[in-house]
Amino acid sequence: LEWRGCRHLHETKIIGVRTVCFEVNTVADHCAAVVDIEQPEDEVNGEVEVNAEWWAKKPQRNEYEMLMKEEGRDVWIPVGVRKLFTSGKIQVNVFTREVFEMKINTSHFKFRKYFPRSLLLELYGGNRCDVQNKPQYMKAIVDCKPVYVNVEEDPSYLALLSGVYQNAKTPKPAFVYKRFEASGTKLEPYFEWYDKDKLQNKIPATVDGLKFWTTRYLLSFPRYVGLNENCQKF
């Protein structure tokens, strides 16, 4: 479970979900769930100068989560500021692709505050696992990444964040496959879980509840099997 992009949201309520897909190759699409979350009453916006003075103020935990734009580019991407070096450079977690760490010179980047509109939740295959006396298998991974754009208006932004690469030769626009569906106050247990009856009406429709649900899913289906426990079933 890769939850670094969503770990600060905790009790934030889920208000609904949609599915977005894009072409991976000529015979397959990759699909992912986009979960909308409740927005704060006060707007979270405005550019931030990330430097030693800002770091010394010891921002609240959620204030380390920002949007970052490289000089000369138009695309804002979600990051988490993690460390300030004596040289003035900073370390950020970049919540795109497989999620990675990056050491940057802040003079070449702009930062701004934001609150995610939604969360990109996707399952795909990771490293292969060797289990004693059992066949090798590909490990299932679920990423949770914050999304600041309106997905209905710009679904192709999700292809930039996705851990699955779009068809590079003839990329086609991503599209909303299943329209927005409002959620209730609880999350339904997965229909194949042995204790689904006990969990009925017990999992809150919050980001923490979603983390619990996703963790249980991965424990039930640790293997990534194409066209079976894959992104379309998840």
Side-chain angles (χ1 to χ4, degrees):
L1 181 65
E2 174 48 78
W3 209 256
R4 283 183 290 178
C6 305
R7 66 182 180 182
H8 63 292
L9 297 166
H10 299 298
E11 298 302 317
T12 303
K13 293 180 180 178
I14 291 169
I15 60 174
V17 64
R18 60 176 61 77
T19 302
V20 174
C21 303
F22 60 85
E23 185 183 86
V24 177
N25 53 50
T26 55
V27 297
D29 287 342
H30 172 70
C31 297
V34 181
V35 179
D36 284 13
I37 56 178
E38 189 175 60
Q39 298 297 290
E41 293 184 3
D42 298 326
E43 185 178 6
V44 181
N45 208 338
E47 290 199 14
V48 179
E49 189 172 348
V50 178
N51 52 29
E53 183 179 347
W54 173 83
W55 189 270
K57 292 178 182 178
K58 297 182 178 179
Q60 296 182 15
R61 185 173 180 179
N62 64 309
E63 293 180 313
Y64 291 98
E65 313 304 316
M66 302 186 189
L67 294 174
M68 180 179 81
K69 183 174 74 168
E70 189 173 2
E71 188 177 58
R73 300 192 64 186
D74 295 327
V75 179
W76 291 92
I77 59 173
V79 299
V81 178
R82 295 294 177 255
K83 188 176 182 179
L84 175 71
F85 297 94
T86 54
S87 63
K89 291 185 177 182
I90 63 169
Q91 179 179 300
V92 295
N93 284 344
V94 182
F95 303 125
T96 63
R97 300 305 183 194
E98 295 86 2
V99 182
F100 59 94
E101 292 181 350
M102 184 177 178
K103 187 176 179 180
I104 64 169
N105 187 331
T106 56
S107 63
H108 299 311
F109 295 83
K110 289 185 176 181
F111 296 86
R112 79 181 213 210
K113 297 183 290 183
Y114 82 114
F115 190 87
R117 286 175 175 262
S118 52
L119 308 175
L120 172 63
L121 204 68
E122 61 178 343
L123 183 147
Y124 53 89
N127 296 330
R128 293 195 174 274
C129 288
D130 289 310
V131 182
Q132 189 174 12
N133 300 324
K134 292 185 179 180
Q136 187 184 69
Y137 68 88
M138 184 177 288
K139 181 173 64 176
I141 293 176
V142 172
D143 269 342
C144 184
K145 295 169 182 165
V147 182
Y148 84 97
V149 303
N150 184 328
V151 173
E152 293 285 344
E153 296 176 359
D154 188 12
S156 289
Y157 181 76
L158 301 187
L160 171 68
L161 301 183
S162 175
V164 176
Y165 285 79
Q166 196 173 20
N167 188 336
K169 292 182 179 179
T170 56
K172 295 180 180 178
F175 58 93
V176 177
Y177 178 68
K178 289 184 180 179
R179 294 290 174 185
F180 178 81
E181 182 178 346
S183 67
T185 59
K186 305 293 181 183
L187 300 180
E188 286 287 323
Y190 193 69
F191 73 96
E192 291 186 12
W193 289 347
Y194 74 92
D195 56 350
K196 63 180 180 180
D197 292 336
K198 290 182 179 180
L199 291 173
Q200 195 71 37
N201 296 318
K202 297 289 179 63
I203 309 174
T206 63
V207 176
D208 274 351
L210 182 63
K211 182 180 181 181
F212 170 83
W213 192 101
T214 305
T215 302
R216 281 294 307 272
Y217 184 91
L218 286 175
L219 289 173
S220 301
F221 304 104
R223 295 170 172 81
Y224 179 83
V225 184
L227 303 180
N228 188 5
E229 288 99 28
N230 69 343
C231 58
Q232 289 154 20
K233 186 174 181 180
F234 176 74

